[in-house]
Amino acid sequence: MTDNIKEPASSKVRRPARLPARLSLAWFLPLGAILFAVWVLWDSYNDRGPLVEITFDKAGGVTAGETRVRRNDVEVGKVESVRLADDLNSVVVSVRMDPQVAPYLDQDTRFWIVNARINTTEISGLGTLLSGSFIEVDWDDVPGERRSEYIGLKEPPLTTRGTPGLRLTLSADEAGYIYVGSPVFLRQIEVGRVERRRLSPDASKVLFDIFIEAPHHRNVYPGTRFYGVSGVEGSIGADGASVRVESIAALFTGGIAFENPPEIIKSSPVVDTGKSYKLFGSRSEARSSLFDGEDDERYRFMAEFPGSVKGLRANTPVEYNGMRVGRVASVSANLPKNIGGEGSATAVLQFQPAMLGLADVSQELWFEAVEQLVSGGLRVQLASGNLLTGSLRVNLVTQPLSSSAAIDFDSKPYPTLPVMPANVEAVTADVETLVKNLSELPLDSLVIAATGLLEDARKLIASPEMATLPQDLSSSMSSIAASASHVESATADLPALIALLTRVSGNANDVLEGVSPDSEIYYELSSAIRELGVAARSIAAFAELLEENPNAILTGR
């Protein structure tokens, strides 16, 4: 009976199952796979590199998932997406860059699309006809603050960053035939190119950014002269006509050349990028100008000229002892201070201290040097530059005995130099009178008279008498030659004749010794002897003259 008695359920003791009985090792496999996948994804996310957005005007053959980003023909990124910008006028290209190049994606980084380009200055990117377009990236060697948004370049830069050389800026009045990509020459060898042309901030000049490759950049000095070349340059001077061809390429694209005057070779080359130079219009203009810092306002003065300054204009030369040392930067008129008074004009003078032996001088030393010259009598004076055109020039003259004067350093915007009066109005009046007299000449009648004179000369030359003139001259010359031969044969007998006269004179003297001086025959014989002596001397002189100059019988001398 006891065996059939069941114990209450609450009295049973349950033992907990062991851990290995509830967990299987097979469960760790998917868990490990999940963890590994998460780690791979996280590691891939960290190593995928930065994402940058580049804005272009046009996509230019760029395709999402296919187009690569390259530097020096090495892939450093890949295009992930291409979309229109918010303004719907440009394209935004999202590029995933390699993490290795991430430190160099700063404000100096540049992107541009490379495709086939054929124009007057270059032929490039022909390889993209088969491989397709790609994006080129360029940066400097210095890491900077990272950026994620860029504006792509419209055209590829002609020189990548890091290329050894020198970048300079040239200023000119007009662009001319110089374009981006135009070559830069040194002694007709291409040593650089024009990278960009643009207007100055005030639009008064055209600026050209050029790059000169190493090692030719060591030939650029502070006094180097740059000038534009159009392929052919001709000139006519005292030595004749000359034609110079800089380059065949410059015939189509224009170009820039530079040269160094011999006196600046001993100076140190330029090492700082960004130095500015003036671009002259031609080689002759660059050679005739030895100015550096053409528009350096530190070396400017003003001069106020009373009365009329007709003929004075900008770029008029400023000369000292016949040598150009500056130019007139601008001319402005001044109203009279009193009613009925005489007006004046103010000229701004741009000096070149190097032409006065003061190269690389500071403004303070420049002012001190000019002040000493003014104390010694230096004055500014207007002079006539061309009588026909009525143009004027500005001269620096020294008058030690002139009245004392000083520089007005309080005038604005530049100090004012003392001037010396000049009688320019009288010269101008003389020029006007000369021009008026020339205009009143009877040119029509003079031309008619000259035409008639030429016609008469033509008729005279064409007349029959002129045709027989050479024959008549030949006959006359033959007769003169025959006469000269007769004279020569006659002169051969003169010595014998002189000797005979001498003997006759001697015999006559012997005869006279036996005759009484008081007799009449003595007197007659004496007279005859004297006449014979005179005749003998005359014949001797005439013979000597004929011997020295046989033509005397024809010419009388």
Side-chain angles (χ1 to χ4, degrees), residues 34 64 79 93 125 132 162 194 245 251 282-283 309 336 363 370 381 450 490 528:
I34 293 173
V79 175
V93 179
V194 178
V245 179
L251 286 172
S282 63
R283 184 168 181 255
V309 291
Q363 186 181 40
V370 177
Q381 185 182 46

Side-chain angles (χ1 to χ4, degrees), residues 425-487:
E425 294 182 355
V427 175
T428 304
D430 294 341
V431 172
E432 293 178 352
T433 302
L434 176 61
V435 173
K436 181 179 179 181
N437 293 336
L438 290 175
S439 64
E440 294 177 353
L441 288 176
L443 296 180
D444 295 339
S445 59
L446 290 177
V447 171
I448 293 174
T451 304
L453 179 61
L454 292 175
E455 183 66 22
D456 294 340
R458 187 186 65 81
K459 292 180 179 179
L460 177 62
I461 295 175
S463 62
E465 292 80 3
M466 291 296 295
T468 60
L469 180 60
Q471 184 177 359
D472 297 340
L473 288 176
S474 177
S475 302
S476 300
M477 294 300 297
S478 300
S479 301
I480 293 173
S483 301
S485 61
H486 293 315
V487 171

Side-chain angles (χ1 to χ4, degrees), residues 154-206:
K154 296 180 180 180
E155 296 181 354
L158 299 177
T159 307
T160 58
R161 299 185 189 274
T163 303
L166 184 67
R167 285 183 168 84
L168 305 171
T169 300
L170 310 180
S171 63
D173 295 333
E174 296 179 348
Y177 293 97
I178 301 175
Y179 300 92
V180 174
S182 295
V184 178
F185 299 98
L186 174 62
R187 297 188 181 276
Q188 296 186 336
I189 295 178
E190 185 174 345
V191 298
R193 65 196 60 86
V194 178
E195 293 186 320
R196 184 173 62 154
R197 70 173 185 173
R198 53 193 169 88
L199 288 174
S200 61
D202 58 356
S204 61
K205 297 286 185 180
V206 178

Side-chain angles (χ1 to χ4, degrees), residues 207-480:
L207 304 181
F208 297 95
D209 297 329
I210 68 172
F211 179 79
I212 300 178
E213 300 174 351
H216 306 291
H217 69 290
R218 299 174 184 172
N219 296 311
V220 179
Y221 298 88
T224 298
R225 304 289 173 255
F226 291 85
Y227 55 92
V229 292
S230 59
V232 178
E233 180 182 354
S235 62
I236 300 176
D239 298 331
S242 63
V243 178
R244 176 183 176 88
V245 179
E246 196 72 32
S247 170
I248 298 299
L251 286 172
F252 304 99
T253 64
I256 295 174
F258 67 93
E259 63 180 20
N260 300 309
E263 61 270 12
I264 71 171
I265 299 298
K266 299 181 181 179
S267 61
S268 300
V270 175
V271 296
D272 296 331
T273 293
K275 182 175 175 60
S276 298
Y277 290 87
K278 179 180 179 180
L279 180 63
F280 294 95
S282 63
R283 184 168 181 255
S284 58
E285 182 182 351
R287 284 190 167 185
S288 63
S289 176
L290 299 178
F291 303 143
D292 186 24
E294 187 81 7
D295 298 318
D296 196 337
E297 296 185 3
R298 297 180 302 166
Y299 308 132
R300 286 187 175 184
F301 284 94
M302 295 190 306
E304 184 176 355
F305 301 103
S308 174
V309 291
K310 183 179 179 181
L312 182 64
R313 54 183 61 89
N315 294 324
T316 295
V318 178
E319 298 182 356
Y320 179 69
N321 288 340
M323 179 178 293
R324 182 173 178 177
V325 297
R327 66 181 180 87
V328 176
S330 63
V331 181
S332 59
N334 303 322
L335 296 176
K337 298 180 180 179
N338 301 322
I339 299 176
E342 186 181 34
S344 62
T346 299
V348 177
L349 310 180
Q350 174 68 62
F351 286 94
Q352 304 301 325
M355 298 302 298
L356 293 170
L358 301 173
D360 298 329
V361 66
S362 64
Q363 186 181 40
E364 291 75 14
L365 295 178
W366 165 246
F367 283 166
E368 291 180 3
V370 177
E371 188 174 16
Q372 292 180 358
L373 292 175
V374 171
S375 300
L378 183 70
R379 300 292 184 268
V380 181
Q381 185 182 46
L382 286 179
S384 176
N386 191 308
L387 291 177
L388 294 179
T389 62
S391 62
L392 302 178
R393 69 173 186 271
V394 179
N395 284 342
L396 301 180
V397 297
T398 302
Q399 297 290 340
L401 301 179
S402 61
S403 59
S404 60
I407 302 175
D408 184 8
F409 287 99
D410 296 330
S411 61
K412 300 298 180 184
Y414 309 107
T416 301
L417 294 174
V419 300
M420 176 180 294
N423 193 12
V424 177
E425 294 182 355
V427 175
T428 304
D430 294 341
V431 172
E432 293 178 352
T433 302
L434 176 61
V435 173
K436 181 179 179 181
N437 293 336
L438 290 175
S439 64
E440 294 177 353
L441 288 176
L443 296 180
D444 295 339
S445 59
L446 290 177
V447 171
I448 293 174
T451 304
L453 179 61
L454 292 175
E455 183 66 22
D456 294 340
R458 187 186 65 81
K459 292 180 179 179
L460 177 62
I461 295 175
S463 62
E465 292 80 3
M466 291 296 295
T468 60
L469 180 60
Q471 184 177 359
D472 297 340
L473 288 176
S474 177
S475 302
S476 300
M477 294 300 297
S478 300
S479 301
I480 293 173

